[in-house]
Amino acid sequence: MVEIIDGGITSPQGFRAAGVHSGVKYRSLDLGLLVSDVPATAFKAFTSNKVKAAPVLLMISQDTPRLSAIVVNSGNANALTGRRGLEDAQAMQKAVAAELNLVPTEVGVMSTGLIGRFMDMHKVQYGIGRAVKDLAVGHDADARITEAIMTTDTVKKECAVRVRLKDGTLVYIAAISKGSGMIAPHLKSLHGTTLTMITTDAVLTPAFEKNFQKILDDSMNMVSVDGDQSTNDTCLMMANGLAGGTPADDDPAFFEALSVVMTKIARTIAMDGEGASKLITVQINGAVDDTQARIAAKTIINSPLVKSAIFGSDPNYGRVMMALGNSGVDFNLEEVHLTIKGGDMEVPILDSGAPVFQEERSVEVVRMAMDNKEVILDLDLGVGDGKATAWGCDLTYDYVRINAEYAT
């Protein structure tokens, strides 16, 4: 049984963390460091955007199977910075490696913030030196590294769990993430922004790669704030094996526990979308297969018209069906069922392709369901057993304001 605990990224054995102010941002914490006491098996996933930031390009080119540390800065994305950007990303690796007596390729690098600005490496290297001295375990260290990776985020995004595996080993899994805008991840393993770090003391081998990708496809890759995939999206997982036991690559308990962690992170990112006032959950059932269900869910969650309607609690179900039709997936309109849920209300909208309500009084009931912090769009496509869930947020005036002024 998976147990969510009051913990953070250093909850698994053998991990230490720090968050410091280096000066890249004016006042806030802006540089984080995560270290494993022993080399950890690494699982990596990066943006599929063809414009990739320097740290992403560097890590893809190295493709090392083990990591001992991850360094991350906020305030500067180190993207569209050419050769100098790559050299700066390498300099971050080398600075951490020199401080911790590591090989540079054992250090993961992440950056987030403004695009098209060169890094001030004097500040970054100063921050790395401070972070190494501040490495610690516990709530304060967890809080500081989580804050250090934030940009327009308004809440910290973290989750920690423990679970007993089938061989009896008790293992811990934890994750922190950032993300508020420029979010529509399409993370592929081995190959505004979400940066995610995952730690576990379980024993994993490279064979876990397929399950890692499956969990990403059902969690982080099902989040969309604005439909724009970042240049910097990165997810790094370190498994240091200090809990002992047999490899958990195919252990259902470990798979479930990591899924719980990543689903919570995904929901929190969507809930904290730039300017958001509501969490939108799209549940697709009855699709031809899970792949088509994912496509349908993401198309609906990405629709500006759907997001605007939910912001205004406007019961215009035609926008949901428009987005479904644009998705290109198979469905039988005569078998489609749409229900809107909010709070303790569950209101059928469309039944067998025809509206359930017409009267103004019925419309007000739908509006009341939509006037909640979480609005669920539940669609059955009537053509198979495929299912998927996507998370997003409404499109508000504040989203436009934030992004109209982001660089200034």
Side-chain angles (χ1 to χ4, degrees):
M1 179 178 176
V2 181
E3 180 186 359
I4 296 177
I5 63 171
D6 179 19
I9 197 68
T10 63
S11 293
Q13 297 178 60
F15 289 96
R16 294 173 291 150
V20 302
H21 176 237
S22 71
V24 173
K25 292 197 292 193
Y26 182 56
R27 288 180 179 171
S28 308
L29 302 183
D30 56 20
L31 188 137
L33 183 62
L34 176 65
V35 175
S36 174
D37 291 340
V38 298
T41 303
F43 301 90
K44 311 171 191 177
F46 304 101
T47 181
S48 297
N49 193 318
K50 289 185 178 180
V51 178
K52 292 178 171 63
V56 174
L57 291 171
L58 177 64
M59 296 202 66
I60 289 175
S61 71
Q62 293 175 341
D63 191 26
T64 50
R66 300 181 81 78
L67 289 176
S68 294
I70 300 171
V71 60
V72 55
N73 75 274
S74 59
N76 188 323
N78 195 8
L80 293 177
T81 46
R83 181 181 295 274
R84 175 172 164 179
L86 282 170
E87 291 172 350
D88 288 344
Q90 287 179 311
M92 290 175 70
Q93 275 189 325
K94 290 176 181 177
V96 173
E99 292 277 0
L100 297 174
N101 196 27
L102 302 173
V103 176
T105 53
E106 288 183 82
V107 181
V109 183
M110 298 180 179
S111 295
T112 182
L114 284 172
I115 291 174
R117 304 283 176 89
F118 291 124
M119 301 282 283
D120 186 333
M121 290 307 296
H122 293 293
K123 293 178 179 177
V124 172
Q125 289 173 331
Y126 162 75
I128 288 170
R130 283 193 59 197
V132 169
K133 292 181 176 64
D134 287 354
L135 284 168
V137 174
H139 283 289
D140 186 57
D142 295 337
R144 290 180 68 82
I145 188 173
T146 306
E147 181 182 341
I149 66 177
M150 295 166 67
T151 50
T152 55
D153 306 65
T154 64
V155 298
K156 294 174 182 176
K157 300 166 178 72
E158 63 181 347
C159 182
V161 303
R162 61 186 168 209
V163 65
R164 195 166 296 280
L165 304 181
K166 61 185 178 184
D167 69 353
T169 305
L170 183 66
V171 303
Y172 288 75
I173 307 170
I176 60 172
S177 188
K178 64 82 53 184
S180 191
M182 200 191 294
I183 293 174
H186 188 61
L187 292 158
K188 288 297 178 183
S189 54
L190 300 180
H191 198 0
T193 301
T194 62
L195 300 184
T196 304
M197 288 176 270
I198 310 167
T199 56
T200 182
D201 48 18
V203 176
L204 295 176
T205 76
F208 184 70
E209 189 68 45
K210 64 182 186 301
N211 283 332
F212 182 59
Q213 184 65 61
K214 174 69 166 61
I215 290 169
L216 287 180
D217 285 343
D218 289 338
S219 57
M220 296 297 291
N221 287 349
M222 295 304 291
V223 177
S224 180
V225 167
D226 45 27
D228 286 327
Q229 184 183 179
S230 171
T231 56
N232 291 61
D233 286 336
T234 303
C235 179
L236 300 179
M237 176 173 171
M238 292 197 292
N240 65 18
L242 288 179
T246 57
D249 301 333
D250 295 309
D251 192 310
F254 185 84
F255 186 95
E256 180 188 0
L258 183 55
S259 296
V260 167
V261 169
M262 298 311 294
T263 297
K264 182 178 179 183
I265 292 290
R267 283 176 56 87
T268 308
I269 289 172
M271 200 178 304
D272 191 38
E274 288 174 342
S277 66
K278 298 177 183 178
L279 171 66
I280 306 171
T281 300
V282 178
Q283 297 174 339
I284 300 292
N285 292 287
V288 168
D289 54 32
D290 289 351
T291 298
Q292 288 214 358
R294 290 190 191 103
I295 293 170
K298 285 295 288 285
T299 304
I300 294 169
I301 209 77
N302 279 332
S303 168
L305 288 176
V306 172
K307 294 159 81 70
S308 298
I310 291 181
F311 169 58
S313 298
D314 182 22
N316 188 345
Y317 67 89
R319 293 180 172 182
V320 178
M321 296 306 296
M322 169 277 299
L324 174 63
N326 277 332
S327 71
V329 306
D330 298 322
F331 59 89
N332 181 352
L333 187 56
E334 294 182 354
E335 297 293 334
V336 170
H337 297 270
L338 169 62
T339 300
I340 292 182
K341 304 174 183 178
D344 59 358
M345 301 182 70
E346 185 171 326
V347 186
I349 304 297
L350 200 69
D351 184 24
S352 301
V356 173
F357 65 88
Q358 289 288 333
E359 299 83 5
E360 185 63 30
R361 186 174 179 180
S362 299
V363 172
E364 285 305 313
V365 172
V366 182
R367 193 185 302 277
M368 289 171 61
M370 298 176 73
D371 194 22
N372 282 278
K373 283 294 185 182
E374 179 176 5
V375 177
I376 301 171
L377 305 177
D378 192 328
L379 270 161
D380 192 310
L381 307 191
V383 290
D385 298 320
K387 60 184 179 180
T389 301
W391 301 275
C393 60
D394 55 346
L395 180 57
T396 70
Y397 306 121
D398 280 343
Y399 176 86
V400 177
R401 178 187 58 76
I402 291 167
N403 285 283
E405 303 170 353
Y406 193 85
T408 55

